[in-house]
Amino acid sequence: MSRGSESNRLAKECIVTALVELMKVRDYDSISITDIAKKAGVSRMAYYRNYLSKDDILNKYIEEVGESIHQMITESNSGSVPYDYFYALFDQLGRYSDLAIVAYRAHLGELILSNIIKNMFYTFPPATESTDERYRRHFLAGAFYNVFIEWLKGGLREDAATMARICADMAINGSPTPFLEVNAHEGTR
């Protein structure tokens, strides 16, 4: 790795860390580029060499996390695609829980969800471009997102393997209780 690219990598890392740290104590909308550059110990020029905006920092970082998840899935060999996929998601996203928590608290959940959807389509390209398949993937991504946020709110008490088992089972077998059936019967009383 050349000296320039190593310096650029370190600057990016410092900028991401600075933004996450600032988001822990301040409202996202009140954080300026100057605040981020100062906290990161980089010049504004270094900031703009790497990013266009605060959202760009988070987007690019979440994309990098998605790429590491994709890599983890392609290297996995347990034989259970749904389990491997969810394990990689919970393992990697758990490692970046600080970022996910501050992004969620800053009302940037859509950013997380859109990257989950993008990663799902990237990792499992649809065999056909059907409407059903598109909605199915959005449904699964939304379900995962909500489970992930609940896991974060609960302090990540369960390990990645437990969460992967729960999600893989629901993805394969559906809900463990006939929730919609129960509610449909109650609505007719």
Side-chain angles (χ1 to χ4, degrees):
M1 184 178 282
S2 74
R3 183 179 163 129
S5 61
E6 176 65 15
S7 174
N8 205 37
R9 186 191 64 75
L10 287 172
K12 284 180 171 181
E13 198 172 290
C14 290
I15 290 168
V16 169
T17 301
L19 178 58
V20 170
E21 291 303 314
L22 287 167
M23 288 174 69
K24 287 179 182 178
V25 296
R26 293 186 40 202
D27 182 53
Y28 179 75
D29 292 331
S30 73
I31 300 169
S32 69
I33 302 307
T34 301
D35 296 332
I36 297 167
K38 186 176 179 179
K39 178 90 172 161
V42 301
S43 68
R44 285 176 62 93
M45 186 162 62
Y47 174 90
Y48 282 113
R49 188 177 320 125
N50 293 293
Y51 300 106
L52 302 171
S53 66
K54 292 184 294 188
D55 287 354
D56 191 37
I57 296 169
L58 295 174
N59 245 336
K60 286 182 178 177
Y61 190 63
I62 291 171
E63 283 177 8
E64 288 175 21
V65 172
E67 288 171 14
S68 70
I69 291 169
H70 176 74
Q71 187 66 31
M72 188 175 176
I73 292 166
T74 57
E75 292 173 357
S76 175
N77 58 3
S78 81
S80 173
V81 173
Y83 175 85
D84 290 344
Y85 178 69
F86 289 116
Y87 180 83
L89 284 171
F90 282 106
D91 180 66
Q92 292 297 301
L93 293 175
R95 292 176 194 211
Y96 301 99
S97 61
D98 275 1
L99 172 64
I101 289 167
V102 295
Y104 178 75
R105 287 185 184 149
H107 307 289
L108 299 171
E110 178 69 28
L111 185 67
I112 298 168
L113 178 58
S114 67
N115 278 284
I116 290 170
I117 293 167
K118 187 184 331 179
N119 185 21
M120 187 177 285
F121 276 85
Y122 175 64
T123 303
F124 303 108
T128 64
E129 293 294 326
S130 72
T131 300
D132 287 2
E133 186 60 29
R134 182 170 51 93
Y135 282 117
R136 180 177 177 275
R137 288 172 192 266
H138 280 80
F139 177 84
L140 291 172
F144 171 78
Y145 170 78
N146 284 299
V147 169
F148 173 64
I149 294 300
E150 190 61 29
W151 185 57
L152 285 176
K153 288 178 181 178
L156 291 85
R157 283 190 302 267
E158 299 81 8
D159 64 6
T162 300
M163 295 307 297
R165 180 190 52 74
I166 291 167
C167 287
D169 184 53
M170 285 190 287
I172 295 167
N173 301 317
S175 175
T177 57
F179 174 77
L180 294 176
E181 240 176 69
V182 170
N183 286 337
H185 293 299
E186 288 176 0
T188 59
R189 291 182 185 172

